[in-house]
Amino acid sequence: MKIAVCGKGGSGKSTISGALARHLARQGHKVVALDCDPNPNLGISLGVLREEVESMSPILNALIDAGHTHKDPKIEAEVLLDRYGIDAPEGIRLVATGKIERPSNACLCCGSHNTTRQFFGELPADDRIVLADLEAGLNDLIWAKPGPDDVVLAVTEGSAKSVEIARRACRLAEELGVKRIIGISNRTVSDVDAKRIGEELGVEMFTVPEDRAIEDADHLGIAAIDADPAAPAVVAIGELAQLITR
Ligand SMILES: Nc1ncnc2c1ncn2[C@@H]1O[C@H](COP(=O)(O)OP(=O)(O)OP(=O)(O)O)[C@@H](O)[C@H]1O
Ligand SMILES: [Mg+2]
């Protein structure tokens, strides 16, 4: 199974991706976590130490540094995962597509998007779960190009702008033929809010509550699931893991 997590900047994509990957791994699934943000930080939400996250070689950067050009034969996604992935807790393999590190006239994010497409498209997922934490907005969703057998999570908090981007993500996913689209109402403070968001998105919905423990863990730079496994949002994301794999 492949899962693409999308939504507006700051809606909670990485928080949800990190805790979801951990819960899925705890349920016994083999999980590959793809950090598709050119400012990668999914590792923190997964429970990887900050120094290790910083020392990771995102695929695009590693290939460019090694002198690889687009004229060279394409390297298989599985080989790249082996070479540039790092081990995260619970047996999860984490890999980042690209990282903006220095000023350049070239557009790094185009290469990063392309790597996202290669990874999300080509990594076999028959006996494992490939979970992609996409770059904010809609562009990366088009690049990842999820299909009928994939799952799309459209994450939104309560603001009208965030809900609108999630709504557009749902429509794009429908156009791509995705059958399982789940709207995630994150940082939910009231049932009324969740209901309103559900009506706007028009897809299956799941609610993650506003939870101070998530913010506290983020301020310490650690994963919420490690800081406070019983926190309501962490528990809710565990239920989301059950729902997705049921
Ligand atoms: N359920 C929640 N309760 C309280 N705070 C939350 C919750 N979910 C996320 N947050 C907070 O919202 C902020 C943004 O979360 P996160 O980094 O996961 O968003 P993102 O969508 O990945 O952002 P970006 O687009 O920048 O990658 C963080 O400060 C995080 O602690
Ligand atoms: Mg993020």
Side-chain angles (χ1 to χ4, degrees):
M1 177 194 288
K2 296 187 192 183
I3 305 168
V5 182
C6 63
K8 189 178 183 304
S11 58
K13 299 176 294 298
S14 301
T15 302
I16 288 172
S17 299
L20 183 60
R22 291 282 297 272
H23 279 294
L24 290 168
R26 281 186 188 174
Q27 285 175 16
H29 298 282
K30 204 171 155 194
V31 179
V32 174
L34 298 184
D35 192 342
C36 302
D37 193 330
N39 302 298
N41 56 22
L42 172 61
I44 305 287
S45 303
L46 270 177
V48 178
L49 293 175
R50 238 182 306 179
E51 311 80 76
E52 280 184 64
V53 175
E54 278 306 307
S55 68
M56 265 177 86
S57 287
I59 294 162
L60 185 65
N61 305 60
L63 291 179
I64 291 171
D65 289 348
H68 190 90
T69 74
H70 64 277
K71 292 186 188 134
D72 296 329
K74 207 163 100 183
I75 305 171
E76 265 183 50
E78 197 72 54
V79 173
L80 293 171
L81 176 65
D82 251 20
R83 214 185 272 174
Y84 301 115
I86 64 165
D87 290 326
E90 251 120 20
I92 297 167
R93 189 88 179 147
L94 166 67
V95 72
T97 52
K99 183 179 184 181
I100 295 170
E101 285 182 307
R102 58 187 82 92
S104 157
N105 289 331
C107 177
L108 184 121
C109 70
C110 292
S112 176
H113 291 315
N114 216 358
T115 315
T116 297
R117 173 164 292 181
Q118 184 192 359
F119 258 76
F120 197 77
E122 292 178 14
L123 264 186
D126 299 335
D127 61 349
R128 64 182 169 192
I129 294 177
V130 175
L131 189 155
D133 176 20
L134 300 181
E135 187 187 15
L138 301 172
N139 200 9
D140 222 17
L141 180 63
I142 293 170
W143 278 96
K145 211 177 174 194
D149 299 331
D150 303 328
V151 177
V152 167
L153 303 184
V155 182
T156 179
E157 33 85 22
S159 78
K161 290 176 191 165
S162 186
V163 175
E164 175 55 16
I165 288 179
R167 190 191 65 76
R168 289 187 213 152
C170 292
R171 299 297 83 80
L172 280 173
E174 280 167 1
E175 262 198 65
L176 289 167
V178 179
K179 288 192 263 196
R180 188 104 197 256
I181 305 166
I182 306 176
I184 310 288
S185 168
N186 187 30
R187 311 196 68 159
T188 309
V189 286
S190 81
D191 291 347
V192 179
D193 236 17
K195 188 164 175 284
R196 169 183 63 86
I197 293 168
E199 282 166 3
E200 294 220 29
L201 301 196
V203 294
E204 175 183 358
M205 289 297 297
F206 188 86
T207 299
V208 176
E210 170 73 27
D211 187 345
R212 182 64 207 260
I214 302 281
E215 294 255 28
D216 290 346
D218 249 348
H219 289 178
L220 296 172
I222 53 179
I225 197 167
D226 293 324
D228 188 353
V234 175
V235 172
I237 297 167
E239 287 160 14
L240 176 64
Q242 303 274 4
L243 176 82
I244 291 174
T245 51
R246 209 165 37 216

